[in-house]
Amino acid sequence: MDINQKTAGSGCGNRSLPPVTITCLIRAALDARRFSYAPYSRYCVGAAVLTEDGSVFSGCNIENASYGATICAERTAIFAAVSRGHRRIIALALAAAPEGTEPAATRDYPSPCGICRQVMREFADPKEFPVIMAKSPEDYRIQSLEELLPESFGPSYLQEKTNTATEQ
Ligand code: THU
Protein backbone atom coordinates (compact mmCIF):
# COMPACT_ATOMS: atom_id res chain seq x y z
CA MET A 1 0.00 0.00 0.00
CA ASP A 2 1.45 3.35 -1.01
CA ILE A 3 1.50 5.65 1.99
CA ASN A 4 1.33 8.72 -0.23
CA GLN A 5 -2.00 7.60 -1.62
CA LYS A 6 -3.30 7.86 1.89
CA THR A 7 -1.91 11.31 2.49
CA ALA A 8 -4.37 14.10 1.96
CA GLY A 9 -3.52 17.72 1.23
CA SER A 10 0.12 18.77 1.11
CA GLY A 11 1.17 16.06 3.52
CA CYS A 12 3.53 16.35 6.44
CA GLY A 13 6.71 18.01 5.30
CA ASN A 14 9.51 15.56 4.66
CA ARG A 15 8.61 13.13 7.37
CA SER A 16 6.64 10.13 6.21
CA LEU A 17 5.90 7.42 8.68
CA PRO A 18 6.68 3.81 7.80
CA PRO A 19 3.43 1.94 7.09
CA VAL A 20 4.17 -0.40 9.99
CA THR A 21 4.24 2.57 12.37
CA ILE A 22 0.93 3.83 11.04
CA THR A 23 -0.61 0.40 11.47
CA CYS A 24 0.76 0.10 14.99
CA LEU A 25 -0.65 3.49 16.03
CA ILE A 26 -4.06 2.77 14.53
CA ARG A 27 -4.21 -0.59 16.29
CA ALA A 28 -3.30 1.09 19.59
CA ALA A 29 -6.02 3.71 19.04
CA LEU A 30 -8.62 1.06 18.21
CA ASP A 31 -7.60 -0.93 21.27
CA ALA A 32 -7.81 2.10 23.58
CA ARG A 33 -11.24 2.91 22.17
CA ARG A 34 -12.55 -0.25 23.85
CA PHE A 35 -12.12 1.52 27.21
CA SER A 36 -14.00 4.66 26.18
CA TYR A 37 -16.29 5.92 28.93
CA ALA A 38 -19.02 7.71 27.01
CA PRO A 39 -22.38 7.14 28.73
CA TYR A 40 -23.71 10.57 27.62
CA SER A 41 -22.71 10.95 23.98
CA ARG A 42 -22.25 7.23 23.31
CA TYR A 43 -19.52 8.28 20.89
CA CYS A 44 -16.42 6.19 21.59
CA VAL A 45 -12.98 7.47 20.68
CA GLY A 46 -9.49 6.03 21.00
CA ALA A 47 -6.15 7.68 20.30
CA ALA A 48 -2.47 6.81 20.36
CA VAL A 49 0.64 8.98 20.19
CA LEU A 50 4.17 8.12 19.18
CA THR A 51 6.90 9.88 21.13
CA GLU A 52 10.43 10.79 20.03
CA ASP A 53 11.97 7.67 21.58
CA GLY A 54 9.50 5.31 19.89
CA SER A 55 7.15 4.84 22.82
CA VAL A 56 3.41 4.66 22.22
CA PHE A 57 0.84 6.03 24.65
CA SER A 58 -2.86 5.56 24.15
CA GLY A 59 -6.07 6.87 25.65
CA CYS A 60 -9.83 7.04 25.29
CA ASN A 61 -12.45 9.71 25.84
CA ILE A 62 -13.70 9.89 29.41
CA GLU A 63 -16.98 11.70 29.96
CA ASN A 64 -18.44 13.19 33.10
CA ALA A 65 -21.94 13.93 34.43
CA SER A 66 -20.69 17.50 34.56
CA TYR A 67 -20.22 17.52 30.79
CA GLY A 68 -17.45 20.12 30.71
CA ALA A 69 -15.20 17.82 32.73
CA THR A 70 -15.09 15.39 29.80
CA ILE A 71 -11.71 14.75 28.21
CA CYS A 72 -11.14 13.65 24.63
CA ALA A 73 -9.16 10.54 23.69
CA GLU A 74 -6.39 12.55 22.04
CA ARG A 75 -5.72 14.58 25.17
CA THR A 76 -5.87 11.49 27.37
CA ALA A 77 -3.15 9.92 25.18
CA ILE A 78 -1.01 13.06 24.98
CA PHE A 79 -1.24 13.71 28.72
CA ALA A 80 -0.29 10.08 29.40
CA ALA A 81 2.88 10.65 27.36
CA VAL A 82 3.71 14.01 28.93
CA SER A 83 3.08 12.75 32.43
CA ARG A 84 5.72 10.07 31.78
CA GLY A 85 8.23 12.70 30.70
CA HIS A 86 7.71 12.62 26.90
CA ARG A 87 7.34 16.19 25.72
CA ARG A 88 7.87 15.71 21.97
CA ILE A 89 5.27 13.79 20.05
CA ILE A 90 5.89 12.55 16.52
CA ALA A 91 2.48 11.33 15.33
CA LEU A 92 -1.07 10.68 16.55
CA ALA A 93 -3.75 8.28 15.40
CA LEU A 94 -7.41 8.40 16.32
CA ALA A 95 -10.40 6.18 15.70
CA ALA A 96 -14.01 6.92 16.56
CA ALA A 97 -17.54 5.62 16.13
CA PRO A 98 -20.81 5.56 18.03
CA GLU A 99 -21.09 2.85 20.68
CA GLY A 100 -21.91 -0.49 19.12
CA THR A 101 -20.50 0.57 15.76
CA GLU A 102 -17.07 -0.18 14.38
CA PRO A 103 -15.02 2.79 13.12
CA ALA A 104 -14.64 0.84 9.86
CA ALA A 105 -18.40 1.17 9.34
CA THR A 106 -18.58 4.94 9.74
CA ARG A 107 -19.18 7.24 6.79
CA ASP A 108 -16.63 9.90 7.76
CA TYR A 109 -13.06 9.73 8.97
CA PRO A 110 -12.73 10.98 12.57
CA SER A 111 -11.49 14.52 13.06
CA PRO A 112 -9.85 15.91 16.19
CA CYS A 113 -11.62 18.74 18.01
CA GLY A 114 -10.10 22.20 18.20
CA ILE A 115 -8.94 21.90 21.79
CA CYS A 116 -7.08 18.66 21.00
CA ARG A 117 -5.47 20.27 17.95
CA GLN A 118 -4.18 23.04 20.20
CA VAL A 119 -2.86 20.53 22.75
CA MET A 120 -1.03 18.67 19.95
CA ARG A 121 0.46 22.03 18.94
CA GLU A 122 2.03 22.38 22.37
CA PHE A 123 4.12 19.22 22.04
CA ALA A 124 4.55 18.77 18.28
CA ASP A 125 6.08 20.45 15.26
CA PRO A 126 2.93 21.33 13.27
CA LYS A 127 4.60 21.06 9.84
CA GLU A 128 5.96 17.60 10.56
CA PHE A 129 3.21 16.15 12.71
CA PRO A 130 0.93 13.61 10.99
CA VAL A 131 -2.57 13.22 12.36
CA ILE A 132 -3.82 9.81 11.29
CA MET A 133 -7.62 9.75 11.13
CA ALA A 134 -8.50 6.09 10.93
CA LYS A 135 -11.44 3.89 10.21
CA SER A 136 -9.22 0.79 10.28
CA PRO A 137 -5.54 -0.12 9.86
CA GLU A 138 -6.23 -0.29 6.13
CA ASP A 139 -8.45 2.75 5.77
CA TYR A 140 -7.27 6.12 7.03
CA ARG A 141 -6.34 9.62 5.97
CA ILE A 142 -3.43 11.71 7.11
CA GLN A 143 -3.14 15.46 7.42
CA SER A 144 -0.42 17.48 9.05
CA LEU A 145 -1.25 19.40 12.19
CA GLU A 146 -0.44 22.56 10.28
CA GLU A 147 -3.18 21.74 7.80
CA LEU A 148 -5.64 21.08 10.61
CA LEU A 149 -4.59 24.12 12.65
CA PRO A 150 -3.17 26.78 10.32
CA GLU A 151 -1.44 29.93 11.56
CA SER A 152 -1.46 28.50 15.04
CA PHE A 153 -0.40 29.98 18.34
CA GLY A 154 2.28 28.03 20.18
CA PRO A 155 4.90 28.08 22.92
CA SER A 156 7.43 30.15 20.95
CA TYR A 157 5.13 33.19 21.03
CA LEU A 158 5.34 33.34 24.80
CA GLN A 159 9.05 32.60 24.66
CA GLU A 160 9.63 35.62 22.40
CA LYS A 161 7.48 37.78 24.60
CA THR A 162 9.37 36.63 27.69
CA ASN A 163 12.71 37.37 26.04
CA THR A 164 11.55 40.80 24.93
CA ALA A 165 10.29 41.52 28.40
CA THR A 166 13.58 40.55 30.04
CA GLU A 167 15.61 42.54 27.50
CA GLN A 168 13.77 45.75 28.34
N1 THU B 1 -14.25 13.39 21.45
C1 THU B 1 -12.97 12.94 21.44
O1 THU B 1 -12.59 12.07 22.23
N2 THU B 1 -12.12 13.46 20.54
C2 THU B 1 -12.45 14.41 19.63
O2 THU B 1 -11.56 14.93 18.93
C3 THU B 1 -13.84 14.78 19.44
C4 THU B 1 -14.74 14.42 20.56
C5 THU B 1 -15.19 12.85 22.43
C6 THU B 1 -15.58 13.80 23.51
C7 THU B 1 -16.91 13.25 23.92
O3 THU B 1 -16.69 12.24 24.88
C8 THU B 1 -17.46 12.62 22.67
O4 THU B 1 -16.38 12.46 21.79
C9 THU B 1 -18.55 13.44 21.98
O5 THU B 1 -18.13 14.73 21.79
Side-chain angles (χ1 to χ4, degrees):
M1 190 177 296
D2 179 2
I3 182 178
N4 295 318
Q5 277 185 343
K6 296 287 186 183
T7 306
S10 57
C12 303
N14 293 325
R15 175 176 289 146
S16 58
L17 290 172
V20 66
T21 305
I22 295 172
T23 303
C24 170
L25 284 174
I26 294 172
R27 286 196 194 288
L30 288 166
D31 196 49
R33 180 178 170 272
R34 295 186 304 122
F35 302 112
S36 165
Y37 176 72
Y40 307 108
S41 73
R42 304 208 175 271
Y43 185 70
C44 302
V45 189
V49 283
L50 176 67
T51 61
E52 235 168 12
D53 72 342
S55 304
V56 174
F57 293 85
S58 62
C60 59
N61 57 331
I62 304 169
E63 298 188 344
N64 194 284
S66 176
Y67 295 172
T70 291
I71 185 167
C72 293
E74 298 93 312
R75 276 176 288 147
T76 306
I78 293 167
F79 294 159
V82 174
S83 60
R84 298 295 296 176
H86 301 269
R87 294 186 177 176
R88 291 310 288 173
I89 55 175
I90 301 300
L92 179 145
L94 75 148
E99 192 177 271
T101 309
E102 285 305 311
T106 57
R107 187 190 56 190
D108 299 317
Y109 293 94
S111 184
C113 83
I115 296 173
C116 290
R117 293 176 194 203
Q118 184 63 38
V119 170
M120 291 176 213
R121 173 69 175 84
E122 188 72 18
F123 302 107
D125 173 350
K127 281 192 197 318
E128 299 290 327
F129 190 77
V131 180
I132 305 159
M133 296 163 276
K135 292 187 187 184
S136 75
E138 295 79 33
D139 190 4
Y140 53 86
R141 64 192 285 248
I142 301 179
Q143 284 189 276
S144 72
L145 180 56
E146 192 180 49
E147 288 172 321
L148 296 175
L149 191 69
E151 299 182 34
S152 61
F153 177 81
S156 65
Y157 284 79
L158 297 179
Q159 199 66 49
E160 278 167 27
K161 204 161 174 31
T162 306
N163 290 341
T164 308
T166 42
E167 275 163 24
Q168 283 171 350

